[in-house]
Short mmCIF file of all heavy atoms in Angstrom, two decimals:
data_model
loop_
_atom_site.label_atom_id
_atom_site.label_comp_id
_atom_site.label_asym_id
_atom_site.label_seq_id
_atom_site.Cartn_x
_atom_site.Cartn_y
_atom_site.Cartn_z
N ILE A 4 17.79 92.17 237.43
CA ILE A 4 17.46 90.86 238.01
C ILE A 4 16.17 90.31 237.43
O ILE A 4 16.11 89.17 237.03
CB ILE A 4 17.34 90.97 239.55
CG1 ILE A 4 18.64 91.47 240.18
CG2 ILE A 4 16.92 89.64 240.17
CD1 ILE A 4 19.82 90.57 239.98
N ASP A 34 45.31 110.41 248.57
CA ASP A 34 46.00 109.38 247.80
C ASP A 34 45.10 108.97 246.63
O ASP A 34 43.93 108.63 246.82
CB ASP A 34 46.31 108.18 248.69
CG ASP A 34 46.97 107.06 247.92
OD1 ASP A 34 48.19 107.10 247.73
OD2 ASP A 34 46.22 106.14 247.50
N MET A 38 41.49 107.23 246.89
CA MET A 38 40.36 108.04 246.46
C MET A 38 39.52 107.30 245.41
O MET A 38 38.29 107.31 245.48
CB MET A 38 40.86 109.37 245.87
CG MET A 38 39.76 110.35 245.51
SD MET A 38 40.34 111.83 244.63
CE MET A 38 41.74 112.33 245.59
N ILE A 45 31.63 103.82 247.08
CA ILE A 45 30.43 104.63 247.34
C ILE A 45 29.44 104.50 246.18
O ILE A 45 28.24 104.31 246.41
CB ILE A 45 30.81 106.10 247.58
CG1 ILE A 45 31.56 106.23 248.91
CG2 ILE A 45 29.58 107.01 247.56
CD1 ILE A 45 32.27 107.56 249.10
N GLU A 49 25.70 102.77 246.60
CA GLU A 49 24.49 103.55 246.37
C GLU A 49 23.67 103.06 245.18
O GLU A 49 22.44 103.11 245.22
CB GLU A 49 24.85 105.03 246.17
CG GLU A 49 25.37 105.68 247.44
CD GLU A 49 25.87 107.10 247.22
OE1 GLU A 49 25.93 107.56 246.06
OE2 GLU A 49 26.21 107.75 248.23
N TYR A 58 26.06 89.77 252.30
CA TYR A 58 26.44 88.95 253.44
C TYR A 58 27.75 89.47 254.02
O TYR A 58 28.64 89.88 253.27
CB TYR A 58 26.63 87.48 253.03
CG TYR A 58 25.34 86.78 252.80
CD1 TYR A 58 24.68 86.86 251.59
CD2 TYR A 58 24.75 86.04 253.82
CE1 TYR A 58 23.48 86.22 251.38
CE2 TYR A 58 23.54 85.39 253.62
CZ TYR A 58 22.92 85.49 252.40
OH TYR A 58 21.72 84.85 252.20
N GLY A 70 39.22 100.41 266.26
CA GLY A 70 39.78 101.68 265.81
C GLY A 70 39.14 102.86 266.51
O GLY A 70 38.53 102.73 267.57
N HIS A 71 39.28 104.02 265.89
CA HIS A 71 38.74 105.26 266.44
C HIS A 71 37.23 105.10 266.64
O HIS A 71 36.52 104.66 265.73
CB HIS A 71 39.03 106.42 265.49
CG HIS A 71 38.72 107.75 266.08
ND1 HIS A 71 37.44 108.26 266.09
CD2 HIS A 71 39.50 108.65 266.70
CE1 HIS A 71 37.45 109.44 266.69
NE2 HIS A 71 38.70 109.70 267.07
N ARG A 77 30.72 104.90 262.38
CA ARG A 77 30.31 105.11 260.98
C ARG A 77 30.32 103.79 260.21
O ARG A 77 29.40 103.52 259.42
CB ARG A 77 31.23 106.12 260.30
CG ARG A 77 31.02 107.55 260.73
CD ARG A 77 31.74 108.55 259.83
NE ARG A 77 33.15 108.29 259.66
CZ ARG A 77 34.13 108.80 260.43
NH1 ARG A 77 33.80 109.60 261.44
NH2 ARG A 77 35.39 108.52 260.18
N SER A 95 27.48 83.83 259.00
CA SER A 95 27.45 84.96 258.07
C SER A 95 26.11 85.62 258.26
O SER A 95 25.14 84.99 258.64
CB SER A 95 27.59 84.50 256.62
OG SER A 95 28.89 84.06 256.38
#
Side-chain angles (χ1 to χ4, degrees):
I4 301 298
D34 177 83
M38 186 187 313
I45 291 166
E49 292 174 353
Y58 285 84
H71 190 278
R77 287 192 306 269
S95 288

